[in-house]
Amino acid sequence: MGFKYPLYKICIVGDFRVGKTTLLNQYLEKRFTPNVTSTIGSNFYVKRIKIPNVKNLITLQIWDLAGQEHFKWVRHEFYKGAKGIVYVFDLTNRKSFENLTNWKAEIEKAIQRFSSVLVGNKLDLINSENRVIEKEESDKLKEFLMACGYFETSAKLGTCIDDFFLKLVSHIYKSLEK
Ligand code: GDP
Ligand code: MG
């Protein structure tokens, strides 16, 4: 029954400075842009991707908060129609990890059925001595968020970014197009 050329809206969320815009820059342009300036107003980007075992390309419309992380009252509209949520925290910042439960509560007020993925970013800054968030904790949060996967990424190096998008989009496809 599904649509022939699916278009999914995806929102990337998480605290200010966790690396959302940089992740999107890497995903869309394959490069690292240091010191991304935070602009007011949300931005969206369009990308077409191929997922395994699906003939037609899928169009993604990816929305970024672009500096609106502090302005709770404007975000209800931002989420409307989203089929996928990317929850991002900074692996060096525990507060950003804990705050994702608040992001979830806010999103669930705006939209009902969606797929999500959990992303711990800035992996390049983590080594065995300074890891503050253990994988087990992240897996627990993943369960709580009902996310389809947990990925540790580096927006600086481009690590694992394609992977989490592919996982999220495949999950959306499976839940909608059957
Ligand atoms: P946003 O507010 O969530 O959109 O965060 P930004 O994308 O603006 O990134 C905030 C800061 O973290 C910027 O200075 C980025 O260059 C830096 N940054 C983002 N991702 C990474 C990463 O994976 N590794 C490192 N080392 N820095 C990052
Ligand atoms: Mg940003």
Side-chain angles (χ1 to χ4, degrees), residues 141-173:
L141 181 62
K142 181 195 91 176
E143 296 300 320
F144 178 75
L145 297 172
M146 294 179 290
C148 69
Y150 171 58
F151 295 82
E152 295 191 336
T153 62
S154 166
K156 183 173 185 172
L157 306 176
T159 318
C160 265
I161 304 172
D162 289 358
D163 309 60
F164 81 72
F165 270 106
L166 192 59
K167 176 89 187 196
L168 177 63
V169 175
S170 301
H171 195 270
I172 298 171
Y173 184 86

Side-chain angles (χ1 to χ4, degrees), residues 15-22 36-39 43 64-69:
D15 287 2
F16 188 55
R17 303 224 17 115
V18 296
K20 300 180 297 298
T21 303
T22 314
V36 182
T37 49
S38 55
T39 47
N43 297 325
D64 184 20
L65 283 162
Q68 296 192 350
E69 291 87 338

Side-chain angles (χ1 to χ4, degrees), residues 42-99:
S42 42
N43 297 325
F44 76 84
Y45 307 87
V46 173
K47 185 175 170 96
R48 290 193 175 79
I49 70 161
K50 169 92 181 71
I51 63 171
N53 307 317
V54 178
K55 199 173 129 228
N56 293 322
L57 292 180
I58 293 176
T59 305
L60 307 182
Q61 196 188 68
I62 310 172
W63 287 72
D64 184 20
L65 283 162
Q68 296 192 350
E69 291 87 338
H70 306 301
F71 308 112
K72 239 187 167 151
W73 58 90
V74 299
R75 291 200 295 258
H76 194 82
E77 287 296 314
F78 174 79
Y79 301 128
K80 271 206 185 137
K83 297 288 179 253
I85 296 287
V86 181
Y87 290 109
V88 186
F89 69 95
D90 174 345
L91 284 163
T92 69
N93 176 347
R94 174 163 287 277
K95 188 88 179 72
S96 73
F97 177 78
E98 290 169 354
N99 258 344

